[in-house]
């Protein structure tokens, strides 16, 4: 009797950081205690420059998968977001689907997880506030560290993995 065991993701924190170094994506990674929600890491983040993020792994009624990465203080209205991104009604994706597609567990959702989605099953939506930030901070596939990237290096990362984000100004959805 064999048990269905999820396949290991191609990248974990160490392999991701090695890949970035090998591909000329400059970054600085800070280790810290595990952070599961934006509010928990505010003191840690205060000492790190740049825009800090919140990341939502979502699924719509048609089964499409979405990753929304936004600045930590951006309000993401899940009732208004579908119209802005061209999806059906959104709900949170399961832990199993998150691990299968992005190679991370809940609490560690990150745009850097897109490196584990070579089939591009997940549509990447980026808050305009992050697209315009000089420095962006994401978990490096684990919530026990934060990786800071200059915008040029973040865009290089996206180009190298073949991703073009859908940039949405979430601050204007309430208008």
């Amino acid at each position: 009797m064999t048990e269905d065991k999820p396949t290991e993701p191609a990248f974990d924190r160490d392999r991701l950081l090695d890949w970035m170094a090998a591909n000329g994506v400059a970054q600085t990674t800070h280790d810290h205690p595990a952070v599961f929600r934006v509010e928990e890491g505010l003191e840690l983040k205060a000492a790190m420059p740049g825009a800090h993020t919140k990341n939502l792994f979502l699924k719509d009624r048609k089964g499409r998968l979405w990753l929304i990465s936004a600045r930590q203080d951006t309000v993401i209205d899940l009732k208004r977001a579908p119209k802005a991104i061209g999806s059906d009604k959104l709900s949170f994706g399961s832990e199993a689907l998150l691990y299968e597609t992005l190679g991370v567990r809940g609490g560690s959702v990150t745009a850097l997880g897109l490196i584990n989605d070579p089939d591009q099953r997940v549509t990447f939506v980026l808050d305009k506030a992050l697209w315009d930030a000089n420095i962006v901070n994401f978990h490096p596939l684990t919530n026990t560290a934060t990786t800071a990237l200059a915008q040029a290096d973040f865009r290089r990362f996206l180009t190298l993995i073949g991703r073009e984000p859908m940039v949405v100004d979430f601050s204007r959805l309430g208008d």
Side-chain angles (χ1 to χ4, degrees):
M1 189 157 140
T2 61
E3 208 173 294
D4 281 345
K5 189 171 187 234
T7 56
E8 288 295 310
F11 290 87
D12 60 10
R13 172 201 162 134
D14 292 338
R15 289 190 295 267
L16 169 70
L17 297 179
D18 289 347
W19 180 91
M20 287 179 156
N23 285 281
V25 178
Q27 54 77 28
T28 303
T29 297
H30 303 275
D31 292 305
H32 53 69
V35 176
F36 292 91
R37 289 184 310 282
V38 168
E39 306 79 39
E40 288 180 48
L42 294 179
E43 281 182 33
L44 293 168
K45 294 171 187 174
M48 296 179 218
H52 291 272
T53 59
K54 65 177 162 191
N55 299 274
L56 307 178
F57 178 69
L58 305 165
K59 182 177 181 179
D60 70 18
R61 276 198 291 216
K62 294 180 180 170
R64 286 182 64 193
L65 303 176
W66 303 85
L67 172 63
I68 297 178
S69 293
R71 211 171 66 188
Q72 71 181 6
D73 57 353
T74 299
V75 175
I76 307 294
D77 183 337
L78 292 182
K79 287 184 171 54
R80 293 178 185 222
K83 184 176 179 190
I85 66 175
S87 76
D88 204 344
K89 182 181 178 196
L90 295 165
S91 60
F92 288 94
S94 72
E95 178 98 10
L97 200 51
L98 172 63
Y99 189 74
E100 178 187 319
T101 55
L102 298 181
V104 297
R105 301 286 183 201
S108 297
V109 181
T110 171
L112 301 180
L114 293 167
I115 197 167
N116 282 320
D117 182 29
D119 298 331
Q120 299 192 10
R121 292 174 56 195
V122 179
T123 300
F124 182 42
V125 180
L126 186 67
D127 180 16
K128 186 173 184 321
L130 285 184
W131 186 249
D132 293 340
N134 292 329
I135 297 172
V136 292
N137 292 280
F138 291 99
H139 288 310
L141 309 181
T142 175
N143 65 354
T144 58
T146 297
T147 295
L149 299 134
Q151 186 61 240
D153 288 294
F154 179 55
R155 291 184 188 192
R156 177 170 171 70
F157 168 80
L158 292 174
T159 298
L160 288 168
I161 64 168
R163 290 304 186 108
E164 180 76 30
M166 176 189 306
V167 179
V168 173
D169 188 347
F170 285 99
S171 70
R172 304 205 65 198
L173 290 190
D175 295 349

